[in-house]
Amino acid sequence: MKKALITGITGQDGAYLAKLLIEKGYSVYGTYRRVSSPNFWRLQYLNVLDKITLIPADMADMSSLFEAISVSDPDEIYNLAAQSYVGASFDQPLLTTEIDGSGATRILEIIRHINKDIKFYQASTSELYGTVAENIQNENTVFCPNSPYAAAKLLSFHNTRIYREGYGLFACNGILFNHESPLRGLEFVTRKITNAVAKIKLGLQKELVLGNLDAKRDWGFAPEYVEAMWRMLQQEKPDDFVVATGETHSVREFVNEAFKQANLNADDFVKTDKIFVRPHDVNLLCGDPSKIKNNLNWNCKTTFAELVKVMVNADIKRWENFLAGESFAWDAPSFPDNITILKRHSKNNIK
Ligand code: NAP
Ligand code: F7E
């Protein structure tokens, strides 16, 4: 039986990947952080919590990563753990650099020293393209990061390549464009929108306040993207791949589609406020998935409209069940209105 170690197993992708690997017959290990309140709701939601082995580890702590890799003795490591919210990377640039930049290097060093046969997947990102050099981005497009998050991920991207080319490790970068699902964190724009639509529909919220509505993203469905990660580690030779749908939509289009799904008119409820605008944003992302289609036979299936529908319906159903008194694993009830907690503390953050 193959063994896999997933860092960041409690996150959106970690939970879906754990489910996929269990279905494929793997023995699955995952790292989790010590936090004051448990954060296993996604693993419970997908009914995989009792089918995995959890190991405490932090990406900033080399010894805990060494322990996780020694104890699990994996064939494959999927490095998904990160401070993954671009907005927060402007508030905590050094922490983000430590986790997202140096974290992967710590794992690569451990692999190099204890077992060079371990295959390594690095969660790289379309944010690397930043101010895009081409309107459609592929594996050869120049990177120009626009956030501390992307700059940190650039370090991990290159060290993954360097350890592959320099030490012969089986190490791959998946350059994944945005992928969403009902398990997406509430601070990301898609889930912020679908959760708000559900609450507005049920009379629990009055308005939705957003930042840059003109930003365009290539949004896919997360369960399909974790399949791409697995395929990258099953090929003969390690390589880097873009994973994307090839379509781009603005935040405004996502908003309109989400309200439409709930038979509501977005113009009646949506406002903008510059406190949600980043010091430096990425305006256009649209990936070319030709290489992964041709080499690994990976294709996205879920359309933009289907993705929005799945997310809106999931959030409406959850709030309905909640109001009916049901108890189930879920994040939204304890999440405060973002305007109260995400407000930027310093005017200097805004141009
Ligand atoms: P996510 O839901 O935010 O999950 C991030 C995971 O990392 C969580 O399990 C989190 O633990 C863990 N983590 C955070 N800081 C850590 C630390 N210091 N030590 C150990 N673990 C830590 O992110 P995701 O959407 O699943 O994304 C997975 C990976 O893909 C991330 O590396 C992200 O940057 C990258 N990525 C995501 C997308 C996307 O569109 N989703 C696209 C490209 C790349 P807690 O649960 O305790 O917070
Ligand atoms: O922002 C704009 C915002 O935070 C998308 C991460 O998974 O994908 C994700 O990063 C766009 C940006 O995701 C709000 O300015 C407008 O232009 O949902 P997001 P992201 O920054 O694209 C990449 C590929 C990753 O690697 C990351 O880990 O939406 N936007 N108004 C807003 N964004 C948020 N969060 N909140 C707003 O109110």
Side-chain angles (χ1 to χ4, degrees):
M1 183 188 267
K2 269 197 191 172
K3 288 188 282 183
L5 174 66
I6 304 172
T7 70
I9 201 166
T10 54
Q12 170 189 258
D13 291 3
Y16 281 121
L17 180 63
K19 184 167 187 286
L20 179 84
L21 296 181
I22 289 165
E23 285 163 4
K24 291 189 182 294
Y26 279 68
S27 178
V28 176
Y29 295 76
T31 68
Y32 73 100
R33 289 192 288 175
R34 200 217 75 84
V35 283
S36 58
S37 307
N39 182 22
F40 299 123
W41 75 273
R42 294 184 177 92
L43 296 164
Q44 287 170 325
Y45 198 84
L46 296 181
N47 199 22
V48 294
L49 185 54
D50 59 348
K51 300 179 182 69
I52 59 175
T53 304
L54 288 165
I55 308 173
D58 195 293
M59 293 305 289
D61 184 311
M62 182 88 172
S63 54
S64 66
L65 293 172
F66 181 84
E67 176 83 3
I69 296 171
S70 306
V71 166
S72 57
D73 185 25
D75 300 288
E76 298 169 6
I77 295 178
Y78 296 86
N79 182 34
L80 309 187
Q83 189 304 89
S84 71
Y85 182 38
V86 175
S89 78
F90 289 99
D91 299 326
Q92 301 184 333
L94 297 178
L95 184 69
T96 305
T97 303
E98 190 61 37
I99 298 166
D100 301 9
S102 303
T105 314
R106 292 189 181 96
I107 295 182
L108 288 161
E109 271 296 286
I110 296 168
I111 293 176
R112 181 169 83 84
H113 283 289
I114 72 170
N115 180 2
K116 284 173 75 178
D117 291 334
I118 297 172
K119 294 181 176 180
F120 178 75
Y121 172 86
Q122 169 58 19
S124 288
T125 165
S126 52
E127 284 295 300
L128 295 172
Y129 297 115
T131 300
V132 293
E134 296 166 295
N135 285 348
I136 297 184
Q137 302 90 43
N138 64 26
E139 292 79 3
N140 300 316
T141 304
V142 172
F143 295 139
C144 180
N146 280 357
S147 63
Y149 166 81
K153 285 280 186 175
L154 186 64
L155 172 62
S156 294
F157 174 90
H158 281 306
N159 272 340
T160 299
R161 178 187 59 76
I162 289 163
Y163 277 62
R164 176 173 73 222
E165 294 172 358
Y167 298 117
L169 297 192
F170 194 111
C172 303
N173 283 293
I175 308 168
L176 270 57
F177 283 61
N178 298 53
H179 45 281
E180 318 295 313
S181 75
L183 299 189
R184 189 54 145 151
L186 283 159
E187 68 274 59
F188 298 96
V189 78
T190 55
R191 182 85 195 293
K192 178 175 170 181
I193 295 166
T194 61
N195 184 55
V197 166
K199 290 179 79 175
I200 289 169
K201 178 83 182 164
L202 297 171
L204 301 168
Q205 187 171 320
K206 288 192 169 51
E207 62 181 19
L208 168 61
V209 187
L210 294 166
N212 178 9
L213 299 181
D214 296 321
K216 288 184 151 189
R217 290 291 184 274
D218 179 328
W219 277 297
F221 187 41
E224 295 168 5
Y225 283 49
V226 299
E227 168 81 28
M229 297 175 187
W230 175 76
R231 285 192 189 201
M232 280 180 224
L233 295 198
Q234 311 314 309
Q235 57 186 330
E236 292 231 321
K237 285 189 183 156
D239 203 352
D240 302 332
F241 291 90
V242 159
V243 184
T245 70
E247 257 187 48
T248 190
H249 296 272
S250 65
V251 173
R252 185 179 278 100
E253 284 175 84
F254 195 105
V255 166
N256 288 337
E257 186 65 30
F259 277 88
K260 195 176 98 187
Q261 286 296 339
N263 296 316
L264 298 169
N265 182 356
D267 294 340
D268 297 336
F269 304 100
V270 178
K271 285 186 181 168
T272 57
D273 191 314
K274 66 180 179 187
I275 64 166
F276 294 115
V277 176
R278 296 173 186 169
H280 200 3
D281 207 352
V282 171
N283 294 323
L284 167 69
L285 289 173
C286 184
D288 173 5
S290 304
K291 182 176 172 185
I292 193 162
K293 277 187 185 175
N294 295 334
N295 294 16
L296 302 184
N297 198 23
W298 179 89
N299 276 297
C300 61
K301 299 184 185 77
T302 306
T303 65
F304 174 72
E306 285 165 353
L307 171 67
V308 178
K309 186 175 177 180
V310 165
M311 291 180 70
V312 168
N313 287 347
D315 277 323
I316 291 177
K317 185 104 185 83
R318 286 159 165 167
W319 280 107
E320 283 174 347
N321 292 350
F322 175 77
L323 293 173
E326 285 182 33
S327 145
F328 52 96
W330 184 37
D331 54 347
S334 56
F335 195 78
D337 276 352
N338 53 40
I339 198 126
T340 31
I341 57 164
L342 296 181
K343 205 165 187 169
R344 297 206 179 283
H345 300 298
S346 160
K347 287 187 182 126
N348 297 334
N349 286 333
I350 302 166
K351 270 186 276 192

Short mmCIF file of all heavy atoms in Angstrom, two decimals, residues 73-105:
data_model
loop_
_atom_site.label_atom_id
_atom_site.label_comp_id
_atom_site.label_asym_id
_atom_site.label_seq_id
_atom_site.Cartn_x
_atom_site.Cartn_y
_atom_site.Cartn_z
N ASP A 73 7.00 7.98 6.85
CA ASP A 73 7.83 7.27 5.86
C ASP A 73 7.11 7.19 4.50
O ASP A 73 6.87 6.10 3.95
CB ASP A 73 8.14 5.85 6.39
CG ASP A 73 9.10 5.10 5.49
OD1 ASP A 73 9.88 5.77 4.77
OD2 ASP A 73 9.05 3.86 5.46
N PRO A 74 6.77 8.35 3.93
CA PRO A 74 5.87 8.35 2.76
C PRO A 74 6.56 8.04 1.43
O PRO A 74 7.77 8.25 1.26
CB PRO A 74 5.38 9.80 2.74
CG PRO A 74 6.53 10.59 3.27
CD PRO A 74 7.20 9.71 4.30
N ASP A 75 5.77 7.57 0.47
CA ASP A 75 6.22 7.47 -0.92
C ASP A 75 6.08 8.83 -1.60
O ASP A 75 6.83 9.16 -2.51
CB ASP A 75 5.36 6.45 -1.69
CG ASP A 75 5.45 5.07 -1.07
OD1 ASP A 75 6.51 4.45 -1.22
OD2 ASP A 75 4.49 4.65 -0.41
N GLU A 76 5.05 9.58 -1.18
CA GLU A 76 4.75 10.87 -1.82
C GLU A 76 4.45 11.92 -0.74
O GLU A 76 3.75 11.61 0.23
CB GLU A 76 3.51 10.73 -2.72
CG GLU A 76 3.71 9.73 -3.85
CD GLU A 76 2.41 9.37 -4.59
OE1 GLU A 76 1.36 9.98 -4.30
OE2 GLU A 76 2.47 8.46 -5.44
N ILE A 77 4.95 13.13 -0.95
CA ILE A 77 4.59 14.25 -0.07
C ILE A 77 3.90 15.32 -0.92
O ILE A 77 4.42 15.72 -1.97
CB ILE A 77 5.82 14.88 0.62
CG1 ILE A 77 6.48 13.86 1.57
CG2 ILE A 77 5.43 16.14 1.40
CD1 ILE A 77 7.75 14.39 2.26
N TYR A 78 2.74 15.76 -0.47
CA TYR A 78 2.03 16.85 -1.12
C TYR A 78 2.12 18.05 -0.18
O TYR A 78 1.52 18.05 0.90
CB TYR A 78 0.56 16.47 -1.36
CG TYR A 78 0.41 15.32 -2.32
CD1 TYR A 78 0.47 13.99 -1.88
CD2 TYR A 78 0.21 15.55 -3.68
CE1 TYR A 78 0.35 12.93 -2.77
CE2 TYR A 78 0.08 14.49 -4.58
CZ TYR A 78 0.15 13.19 -4.11
OH TYR A 78 0.02 12.15 -5.00
N ASN A 79 2.90 19.07 -0.58
CA ASN A 79 3.09 20.22 0.30
C ASN A 79 2.05 21.30 0.03
O ASN A 79 2.24 22.19 -0.79
CB ASN A 79 4.50 20.80 0.14
CG ASN A 79 4.71 21.95 1.10
OD1 ASN A 79 4.17 21.94 2.22
ND2 ASN A 79 5.46 22.96 0.69
N LEU A 80 0.94 21.21 0.74
CA LEU A 80 -0.17 22.14 0.54
C LEU A 80 -0.24 23.20 1.64
O LEU A 80 -0.98 24.18 1.52
CB LEU A 80 -1.50 21.37 0.50
CG LEU A 80 -1.58 20.18 -0.45
CD1 LEU A 80 -3.01 19.64 -0.49
CD2 LEU A 80 -1.13 20.55 -1.85
N ALA A 81 0.47 22.99 2.75
CA ALA A 81 0.36 23.94 3.87
C ALA A 81 0.89 25.31 3.46
O ALA A 81 1.96 25.42 2.86
CB ALA A 81 1.16 23.42 5.07
N ALA A 82 0.13 26.33 3.78
CA ALA A 82 0.57 27.70 3.48
C ALA A 82 -0.32 28.70 4.19
O ALA A 82 -1.47 28.41 4.53
CB ALA A 82 0.50 27.97 1.97
N GLN A 83 0.21 29.90 4.40
CA GLN A 83 -0.62 31.07 4.67
C GLN A 83 -1.10 31.44 3.28
O GLN A 83 -0.37 32.05 2.50
CB GLN A 83 0.24 32.16 5.32
CG GLN A 83 -0.53 33.36 5.86
CD GLN A 83 -1.41 34.06 4.84
OE1 GLN A 83 -2.60 33.71 4.67
NE2 GLN A 83 -0.88 35.03 4.14
N SER A 84 -2.32 31.03 2.94
CA SER A 84 -2.74 31.01 1.54
C SER A 84 -3.56 32.22 1.12
O SER A 84 -3.97 32.31 -0.03
CB SER A 84 -3.56 29.74 1.27
OG SER A 84 -4.82 29.86 1.91
N TYR A 85 -3.80 33.13 2.05
CA TYR A 85 -4.65 34.28 1.73
C TYR A 85 -3.76 35.47 1.31
O TYR A 85 -3.03 36.01 2.13
CB TYR A 85 -5.51 34.62 2.95
CG TYR A 85 -6.47 35.75 2.72
CD1 TYR A 85 -7.13 35.91 1.51
CD2 TYR A 85 -6.73 36.68 3.72
CE1 TYR A 85 -8.00 36.95 1.29
CE2 TYR A 85 -7.61 37.73 3.52
CZ TYR A 85 -8.23 37.87 2.30
OH TYR A 85 -9.09 38.91 2.07
N VAL A 86 -3.86 35.84 0.05
CA VAL A 86 -3.00 36.90 -0.51
C VAL A 86 -3.17 38.20 0.28
O VAL A 86 -2.19 38.88 0.62
CB VAL A 86 -3.34 37.12 -2.00
CG1 VAL A 86 -2.56 38.29 -2.56
CG2 VAL A 86 -3.06 35.85 -2.81
N GLY A 87 -4.42 38.54 0.61
CA GLY A 87 -4.69 39.78 1.36
C GLY A 87 -3.91 39.82 2.67
O GLY A 87 -3.29 40.84 3.01
N ALA A 88 -3.91 38.70 3.39
CA ALA A 88 -3.23 38.65 4.70
C ALA A 88 -1.72 38.75 4.54
O ALA A 88 -1.02 39.14 5.48
CB ALA A 88 -3.60 37.37 5.44
N SER A 89 -1.20 38.40 3.38
CA SER A 89 0.26 38.45 3.21
C SER A 89 0.77 39.90 3.22
O SER A 89 1.94 40.13 3.49
CB SER A 89 0.69 37.73 1.92
OG SER A 89 0.46 38.50 0.76
N PHE A 90 -0.12 40.87 2.96
CA PHE A 90 0.29 42.27 3.08
C PHE A 90 0.33 42.69 4.55
O PHE A 90 1.05 43.61 4.93
CB PHE A 90 -0.67 43.19 2.31
CG PHE A 90 -0.52 43.05 0.81
CD1 PHE A 90 -1.39 42.25 0.08
CD2 PHE A 90 0.49 43.72 0.14
CE1 PHE A 90 -1.26 42.13 -1.29
CE2 PHE A 90 0.63 43.60 -1.24
CZ PHE A 90 -0.24 42.81 -1.95
N ASP A 91 -0.48 42.03 5.38
CA ASP A 91 -0.48 42.33 6.82
C ASP A 91 0.60 41.56 7.56
O ASP A 91 1.10 42.02 8.59
CB ASP A 91 -1.85 41.96 7.43
CG ASP A 91 -2.99 42.75 6.81
OD1 ASP A 91 -2.75 43.92 6.47
OD2 ASP A 91 -4.09 42.19 6.65
N GLN A 92 0.93 40.35 7.08
CA GLN A 92 1.93 39.50 7.75
C GLN A 92 2.95 39.00 6.73
O GLN A 92 3.07 37.79 6.47
CB GLN A 92 1.22 38.31 8.42
CG GLN A 92 0.19 38.75 9.44
CD GLN A 92 -0.45 37.59 10.18
OE1 GLN A 92 -0.53 36.47 9.68
NE2 GLN A 92 -0.90 37.86 11.39
N PRO A 93 3.71 39.93 6.15
CA PRO A 93 4.62 39.53 5.07
C PRO A 93 5.74 38.61 5.53
O PRO A 93 6.14 37.70 4.79
CB PRO A 93 5.17 40.87 4.56
CG PRO A 93 4.95 41.85 5.66
CD PRO A 93 3.73 41.39 6.40
N LEU A 94 6.25 38.83 6.74
CA LEU A 94 7.40 38.02 7.18
C LEU A 94 6.96 36.60 7.53
O LEU A 94 7.63 35.62 7.20
CB LEU A 94 8.10 38.69 8.36
CG LEU A 94 8.70 40.07 8.01
CD1 LEU A 94 9.33 40.72 9.23
CD2 LEU A 94 9.73 39.93 6.90
N LEU A 95 5.81 36.50 8.20
CA LEU A 95 5.29 35.16 8.54
C LEU A 95 4.99 34.39 7.26
O LEU A 95 5.30 33.20 7.12
CB LEU A 95 4.03 35.29 9.39
CG LEU A 95 3.45 33.96 9.88
CD1 LEU A 95 4.36 33.32 10.91
CD2 LEU A 95 2.06 34.16 10.48
N THR A 96 4.38 35.08 6.30
CA THR A 96 4.05 34.43 5.03
C THR A 96 5.32 33.95 4.32
O THR A 96 5.36 32.84 3.77
CB THR A 96 3.27 35.41 4.12
OG1 THR A 96 2.13 35.87 4.83
CG2 THR A 96 2.82 34.75 2.83
N THR A 97 6.37 34.77 4.38
CA THR A 97 7.64 34.39 3.74
C THR A 97 8.22 33.15 4.42
O THR A 97 8.71 32.22 3.76
CB THR A 97 8.65 35.56 3.85
OG1 THR A 97 8.06 36.71 3.26
CG2 THR A 97 9.94 35.25 3.15
N GLU A 98 8.11 33.12 5.75
CA GLU A 98 8.66 32.00 6.52
C GLU A 98 7.94 30.69 6.17
O GLU A 98 8.56 29.65 5.96
CB GLU A 98 8.46 32.33 8.02
CG GLU A 98 9.15 31.42 8.99
CD GLU A 98 10.66 31.43 8.82
OE1 GLU A 98 11.22 32.49 8.55
OE2 GLU A 98 11.25 30.34 8.95
N ILE A 99 6.61 30.76 6.11
CA ILE A 99 5.81 29.54 5.91
C ILE A 99 5.80 29.12 4.44
O ILE A 99 6.09 27.98 4.09
CB ILE A 99 4.36 29.75 6.41
CG1 ILE A 99 4.36 30.06 7.90
CG2 ILE A 99 3.49 28.54 6.11
CD1 ILE A 99 3.04 30.60 8.40
N ASP A 100 5.47 30.10 3.57
CA ASP A 100 5.26 29.76 2.16
C ASP A 100 6.56 29.74 1.37
O ASP A 100 6.65 29.09 0.32
CB ASP A 100 4.31 30.80 1.51
CG ASP A 100 2.95 30.87 2.19
OD1 ASP A 100 2.79 30.26 3.25
OD2 ASP A 100 2.06 31.53 1.66
N GLY A 101 7.55 30.50 1.85
CA GLY A 101 8.82 30.55 1.15
C GLY A 101 9.80 29.51 1.66
O GLY A 101 10.25 28.63 0.91
N SER A 102 10.11 29.56 2.96
CA SER A 102 11.11 28.65 3.51
C SER A 102 10.54 27.26 3.80
O SER A 102 11.30 26.28 3.87
CB SER A 102 11.70 29.22 4.80
OG SER A 102 12.24 30.49 4.54
N GLY A 103 9.23 27.16 3.98
CA GLY A 103 8.62 25.87 4.37
C GLY A 103 8.94 24.75 3.40
O GLY A 103 9.38 23.66 3.80
N ALA A 104 8.77 25.02 2.12
CA ALA A 104 9.03 23.96 1.12
C ALA A 104 10.49 23.56 1.13
O ALA A 104 10.83 22.38 0.97
CB ALA A 104 8.62 24.46 -0.27
N THR A 105 11.36 24.55 1.33
CA THR A 105 12.81 24.26 1.34
C THR A 105 13.15 23.33 2.51
O THR A 105 14.01 22.45 2.39
CB THR A 105 13.61 25.58 1.43
OG1 THR A 105 13.06 26.49 0.50
CG2 THR A 105 15.07 25.35 1.11
#
